[in-house]
Amino acid sequence: MLGVEKEAPVIQLQNVYRTYQMGDQILNALDGVDINISRNEYVAIVGASGSGKSTMMNIIGCLDRVTKGDYLLNDTNVGDMSEAELAQARNREIGFVFQSFNLLTRASALKNVMQPLVYRGIARSERKRLASEALGHVGLGDRLDSRPNQMSGGQRQRVAIARALIGNPAILLADEPTGNLDSKTSQEIMALIDQLHKKGQTIIMVTHEPDIAAHCARIISLKDGKVESDTRRQNVAA
Ligand SMILES: Nc1ncnc2c1ncn2[C@@H]1O[C@H](COP(=O)(O)OP(=O)(O)O)[C@@H](O)[C@H]1O
Ligand SMILES: [Mg+2]
């Protein structure tokens, strides 16, 4: 057949359940979720506390597995992957950013950002070069030797973003990335994330703040483990 072949979505969740059993109680933290996310999408996952946002992020990030249904990452079924393959997918395909930054507190910004490249067999001098370049891209070219406790919250999150992106992951996953920041610093971090999206990065972000979600072109709202709404917008607040 003629025609341009459409690229498969980078993420496909097909009738996904994540079930917790406590005693004789069964809870579907994800309750039959169907979602496709394509390359270069900018997605917010919103919903009340307990609606399943973190559970969904953990599954997308290969930190957790589905109980039932299928998760395809780059067309590969994550359910068929060994633990080693899962670890490799986490390292190569996913860049994580967390609310609490999760940096190595005793290591310099440069060391923090170099760290994910250790598992890739890249020479130390090259790791250093790439990490200082990445820190330059987030506006911290003059803070390479600072440790996290010598930096502001916004600077720490910039280090975390540089570390998340150092290995060119297919997806940037951020769970409440501005949750620990004041509103001015939050806007600065969102401006940086907006800029990464404009350069082509695929971004999926959990947030409960509407003004943060408003940066995204698509908002998926969860309720009791189900997709309550999935909205794409033409005009996105910058
Ligand atoms: N490890 C766990 N054991 C049992 N229940 C859990 C566990 N993790 C999450 N849950 C439950 O799953 C539901 C969804 O949780 P979560 O994904 O953390 O929600 P959100 O991130 O939207 O606040 C909640 O009812 C929560 O109590
Ligand atoms: Mg959560």
Side-chain angles (χ1 to χ4, degrees):
M1 229 171 76
L2 291 173
V4 180
E5 209 169 303
K6 203 163 172 285
E7 201 186 347
V10 61
I11 286 168
Q12 301 177 64
L13 296 176
Q14 299 173 344
N15 200 24
V16 161
Y17 290 78
R18 175 64 172 96
T19 307
Y20 291 111
Q21 181 153 16
M22 289 165 297
D24 54 5
Q25 291 272 71
I26 285 183
L27 174 85
N28 290 319
L30 294 179
D31 192 2
V33 168
D34 281 295
I35 281 175
N36 289 338
I37 297 175
S38 301
R39 214 163 280 288
N40 197 217
E41 278 205 273
Y42 192 7
V43 183
I45 299 168
V46 303
S49 176
S51 59
K53 304 184 297 295
S54 292
T55 302
M56 191 157 131
M57 288 297 267
N58 290 342
I59 283 175
I60 290 175
C62 300
L63 296 166
D64 189 14
R65 291 178 188 267
V66 306
T67 308
K68 203 175 91 183
D70 290 298
Y71 169 31
L72 281 70
L73 172 61
N74 285 329
D75 248 355
T76 303
N77 198 323
V78 173
D80 297 336
M81 290 185 190
S82 67
E83 286 303 319
E85 288 168 330
L86 216 55
Q88 175 153 328
R90 274 198 298 272
N91 184 252
R92 292 192 181 242
E93 310 285 353
I94 318 278
F96 292 98
V97 171
F98 302 94
Q99 174 174 354
S100 50
F101 319 130
N102 291 19
L103 299 171
L104 303 168
T105 50
R106 293 152 92 75
S108 67
L110 190 67
K111 273 215 158 146
N112 267 283
V113 176
M114 286 166 66
Q115 195 225 347
L117 297 179
V118 170
Y119 313 104
R120 303 237 185 150
I122 295 171
R124 187 178 165 78
S125 57
E126 178 66 0
R127 295 205 303 268
K128 261 193 167 157
R129 192 187 67 74
L130 291 168
S132 43
E133 195 177 272
L135 281 162
H137 287 154
V138 299
L140 292 175
D142 55 348
R143 299 304 298 266
L144 305 186
D145 297 323
S146 302
R147 288 193 304 274
N149 64 3
Q150 300 168 317
M151 298 179 147
S152 69
Q155 288 171 330
R156 290 179 203 189
Q157 198 58 301
R158 285 172 190 274
V159 175
I161 289 170
R163 182 185 55 182
L165 295 176
I166 187 76
N168 286 322
I171 308 154
L172 179 68
L173 278 187
D175 197 347
E176 301 269 3
T178 62
N180 275 342
L181 304 174
D182 62 55
S183 61
K184 180 169 172 283
T185 309
S186 293
Q187 289 308 326
E188 286 166 14
I189 291 296
M190 288 312 300
L192 173 61
I193 294 177
D194 289 350
Q195 197 189 326
L196 296 169
H197 172 246
K198 284 204 186 93
K199 285 191 199 150
Q201 182 67 49
T202 306
I203 296 170
I204 305 171
M205 188 168 64
V206 162
T207 182
H208 64 269
E209 297 171 80
D211 60 327
I212 298 296
H215 285 255
C216 299
R218 178 178 177 192
I219 300 182
I220 296 169
S221 176
L222 296 182
K223 188 180 181 187
D224 299 332
K226 292 184 161 75
V227 175
E228 184 186 37
S229 65
D230 183 350
T231 325
R232 286 167 213 267
R233 290 162 322 141
Q234 301 290 302
N235 297 309
V236 180

